[in-house]
Amino acid sequence: MTDLPQRFRIKSFGCQMNVYDGERMAELLESSGMRAAGPADDADLVVLNTCHIREKAAEKAYSDVGRLTREDGTRPLVALAGCVAQAEGPEAKRRSKAIDMVVGPQAYHRLPDMIAQVARGERPVDTNMPAISKFDALPARRRVGPSAFLTVQEGCDKFCTYCVVPYTRGAEISRPFDDVVAEAQGLVDGGAREITLLGQNVNAFEGGLDKLIRAIAKIDGLERIRYTTSHPADMSDALIAAHGEVDKLMPYLHLPVQSGSDRILKAMNRSHTAESYLRTLDKVRAARPDIAISGDFIVGFPGESDEDFTDTLAIVDAVGYASAYSFKYSPRPGTPAATMEGAVEAHVMDERLQRLQSRLAEHSLAFNRATIGKDLKILIDRKGRLPGQMIGKSPWLQSVFVDTDAAIGDMVDVTVTHALPNSLGGVLRDARVAA
Ligand code: 5AD
Ligand code: SF4
């Protein structure tokens, strides 16, 4: 029998869905009487909300668990959560004695029960993927920042051959339309001015993502809507039309392509070609000419030749990405690509990643430079490092640094004065007028 924990800390890794899940777990633990440990506090419950997307994810999680033991040999209660928890299941308890409970992404609502079980001397594991949604069992949203995440869909049926998501997050499942709208209203009531709709395949949302966007755009006080991540195959005409018609929908689209080579795309089971991807973007740009496109890339997929890689650089140039994430291929056990022939040598992968990233940086810089001299609205979301400096997001999701006494959550008008690959500098428009 141990005491019930009082102060918890949740550490989220990986994607925005984990950030969202972390917030919901925090709300749940608070509503069951615990409080969040401050930065300097010693927590007596630590939830490691893990990511499994790349190599050595499990090893990293176990070493993070190991580091939670204090100098005097004591340690907090430890919950292994997230995608590593889902993938490892009961095995996690065998591999680390310091793990008290294992909770998969569809079982978070059971955390308070599991904590009580731990206090009774048990080591519960729940990695079930029940059809009934955890969301119904979570408390309503409360305090939120100016920019909030909202999960509308989870899981993936696409089975790209490199990806663990269909195994760790399960089949595609969408939340009921009205539940999502109600949660959006709750977030706005709690102070959110921007909502980012989340899903591993958010544009496969069953009720129609376009309809959902139009419905939440009616909420007074909500000013910005975004969504991520989308699959090219689910970019419907109705969703594209929404980009041209819904003012609150921000001009930014994260649409991963992964490779510019049709041969590799086929081996990845991506269900689009370079050409069909570009045609989709043509339609998006016809609807919203100023849209910023962002993407994900994998270099060194098994069998990737120099020519395939050149095709990837070509699609980067054809699209002119405003921002992008790029990764070296990492074999994930249990996925079809893990047993494919034609592994790319490490030094080749390194070199390709470097070339790709410098090309992507050129495009981001060009995109950012094109905003110099423009007036835009930024939503302040954090403090800068310098005194008086604040950082906000532009409609195109650029981070903009500005000196202002505006507070987090304020929307301010700035004129962009300079551009780097990953950020912009600006001055307050009023300040410029006054000067
Ligand atoms: N190796 C490298 N990158 C991967 N991603 C997903 N699985 C892998 C893998 N096995 C990348 C993809 C995806 C992003 C979230 O992570 O680019 O879009
Ligand atoms: Fe993974 Fe492909 Fe599904 Fe994205 S679409 S989560 S990359 S399987």
Side-chain angles (χ1 to χ4, degrees), residues 17 150-155 197-202 228-230:
M17 193 169 295
L150 202 181
T151 294
V152 306
Q153 177 279 338
E154 280 192 51
L197 304 172
L198 296 181
Q200 266 96 22
N201 264 296
V202 71
T228 197
T229 286
S230 296

Side-chain angles (χ1 to χ4, degrees), residues 71-72 115 117 137 163 268 299 303 332 340 354 360 366 420:
E71 270 173 23
D72 64 1
I115 292 165
Q117 282 178 282
C163 186
M268 288 176 162
V299 299
R332 312 306 296 124
M340 286 182 188
Q354 228 168 36
L360 288 166
L420 296 170

Side-chain angles (χ1 to χ4, degrees), residues 42-63:
D42 200 18
D44 46 20
L45 166 68
V46 174
V47 179
L48 289 177
N49 190 16
T50 57
C51 169
H52 202 251
I53 200 88
R54 272 169 289 277
E55 219 164 2
K56 305 213 169 68
E59 285 67 21
K60 180 179 176 302
Y62 290 116
S63 87

Side-chain angles (χ1 to χ4, degrees), residues 165-184:
V165 167
Y167 313 97
T168 55
R169 290 275 176 164
E172 274 174 23
I173 173 161
S174 295
R175 295 179 63 188
F177 193 100
D178 294 341
D179 288 11
V180 177
V181 175
E183 188 170 328

Side-chain angles (χ1 to χ4, degrees), residues 156-160 162-166 200-201 231 258 270:
C156 183
D157 297 338
K158 303 287 191 295
F159 291 94
C160 299
Y162 50 81
C163 186
V164 286
V165 167
Q200 266 96 22
N201 264 296
H231 192 288
Q258 315 295 359
R270 281 294 291 177

Side-chain angles (χ1 to χ4, degrees), residues 264-281:
I264 295 297
L265 288 170
K266 191 146 192 266
M268 288 176 162
N269 191 32
R270 281 294 291 177
S271 80
H272 60 81
T273 61
E275 187 60 24
S276 71
Y277 177 85
L278 290 171
R279 293 295 77 82
T280 301
L281 288 188

